[in-house]
Amino acid sequence: MNAELQYEISRFYYQEAYLLDSRKFEEWLELLTDDIRYRMPMRITRENKDGSNILEDMSYFEESKKSLTTRVKRLRTTSAWAEDPAPRTRHLVTNIVIEDGSTEDSLVVRSSFLFLRSRAGDSEMEQLCGERLDVLRKVNNQWKIAARKIIPDQAVLGVMNLSMFL
Amino acid sequence: MKVKSRFDRTFDRELLQEIKEKLDQGLLPQWLQTDPDIYELEVKHIFSRTWQFLGHESELKQPGDYVTRWMVNDPVLLVKTNSGEIKAFLNSCTHRGTHLCTADFGNKKTFTCPFHGWSFNLDGKLIGIVAGNKVYGEAMDKEEWSLRPIPRVEVYEGLIFGNLDPQAMPLQEYLGGLKWYWDIFLKRSDGGMEVRGMPQRWIVNTNWKCTLENFGGDPYHVPSVHKSTVEMGISPSDPLYSSYGHQVVLEHGHCVNVNVASPGAKQTPYQGLPEEMWPMFERNLTKEQLEIFYKTTVIVGSCFPNLSFHCPIHGSEGHLHNYLTLRVWRPLGPEKIEIWSWFLIDKAAPEELKENAYKGYISSFGPSGTLEMDDTEIWARVVQASKGTMARDRHLSYNNLYNYMMGMGKVEPDTSWPGPGTAYPTCYVDFAFRGIHKYWLELLSQGVE
């Protein structure tokens, strides 16, 4: 594996996490290609013999660049109560593995995430963890996310809502 | 000396009478929201006697298909038998009570308990005991150790319900007039509605009554909680916009709101469903239902105790679509619920519409929905501020009363309304809330000496 590329991609994800946790959502949108497919299928509980425990048929997010932009714009209104007062969030991204780097301008990257959220005076943090499977594409010499599949580890989400981006 | 705190006031007939008197005045004591004693009574006297939603027939297609569900704390195994019948069992082995099947869904011929290997067929019969005759001998009658059935299981238009009370009134009688309104979406298309995927599930720190009310009779919250959509230009700026239409109070605590477009606004006949589907509606619904359906923008309501339904026009990316979402508010305690949210669409709808409506649902409702995410925030805030000494004082010495007075003495029923129930000619009234709590109190009273 190309160590330099690994470093470059890790930096990309740390920067993305910084933008989200700093509520620089418009700058985050800049990291996405115009044709991005941003999805979050459901995790379900199945017996091992029944195969996959990821349900593609129903999801938590089924987004395009346009709908993600709408979500960001909504957060900028004066009455997006789930995010106002703004919760404090922390996106921790780890286990970054470049799965397929066979072309120069496109990569398949797998990573793990831990999302923590602190709301108002609650001392208990809400948390969500899981896996992300991304397709990164080079546009004008910059990496952008062309596809993201977020797979939560919980079949029953322990968070009140998904007002965040993952 | 024994000091009695304000919390110690005994929950008895006298207290019930006081609650009733307050309700008659349009007031609801705030202490009822998350009181732990009340919660225990609710589990015992409401959730053990009323009909609870378990699932939709379209989730169980083939013999052997199963889904696992909950009736508050009772795990339920819902299966389709070889004869095509739907049966529900307590999802607990009859030998030592082990949670028998922990998967969400699947297909099986037998359910084998991992503890000692007892196995049961789709009819719940015990068919296999490890070392059976050698350890239990001939005297053990397997027939006596079948899975314990949920005492009552009945289906209405694809909706499967269970009841823990063998003496409960039939489901159809319990639903009463609510059926007429449900038929508008359950029966409008040939083949009815079908579930896509599995229900989404997530946890919200609120009380089940709060969510039941929210869907049951609270269009008044829409312009404030969902003000962001007004700011975005998606919803109208008229603060009365979700008041237009009728709020209907039905028997057994059920209620429904039938919204129409604001006066002068553009009509979207039959909730914007494509014209090719209209002949179906005209064939399947009565003249009165059709008249109402033609003008309707949203049908939203609750089926007591913990099922809500919402059939709106909502959407994403500038396109508005109609769909149905069913909700179970499963209590996990006085301050916590697990939400189960099903997405349904007409089986006979064009594939493109099914896909668009699904995307519309994801973007507007469910845990990431731009509308629902703000609801969850507010529901949690209600409970957050209703747990303290002032809120929970049973003597009401802090005037801790919710205001349920909207419409009282001001709005009269619309006697020309063609549907069942008592219909009020606006949805900004609290009649539905009072209906919910009247029945709630009636059931609770039966469990109090």
Side-chain angles (χ1 to χ4, degrees), chain B residues 22 42 48 61 69 77 91 93 106 121 155 168 179 274 310 347 374 431 435 448:
Chain B
K22 294 294 175 197
E42 288 170 347
S48 66
K61 291 189 176 69
R69 300 282 141 91
L77 178 61
N91 189 1
C93 180
N121 70 10
V155 181
K179 297 194 297 279
H310 187 209
K347 199 174 178 182
D374 290 332
F431 292 102
V448 172

Side-chain angles (χ1 to χ4, degrees), chain B residues 60-71:
Chain B
L60 300 161
K61 291 189 176 69
Q62 307 298 328
D65 280 358
Y66 71 87
V67 294
T68 57
R69 300 282 141 91
W70 292 89
M71 294 170 81

Side-chain angles (χ1 to χ4, degrees), chain A residues 45 60 64 71 74 78-79, chain B residues 104 200 231 317 358 368 374:
Chain A
T45 308
Y60 297 109
S64 64
R71 285 177 181 275
R74 198 191 74 88
T78 66
S79 48
Chain B
D104 291 331
Q200 298 166 317
E231 289 186 57
E317 306 194 24
Y358 158 66
S368 80
D374 290 332

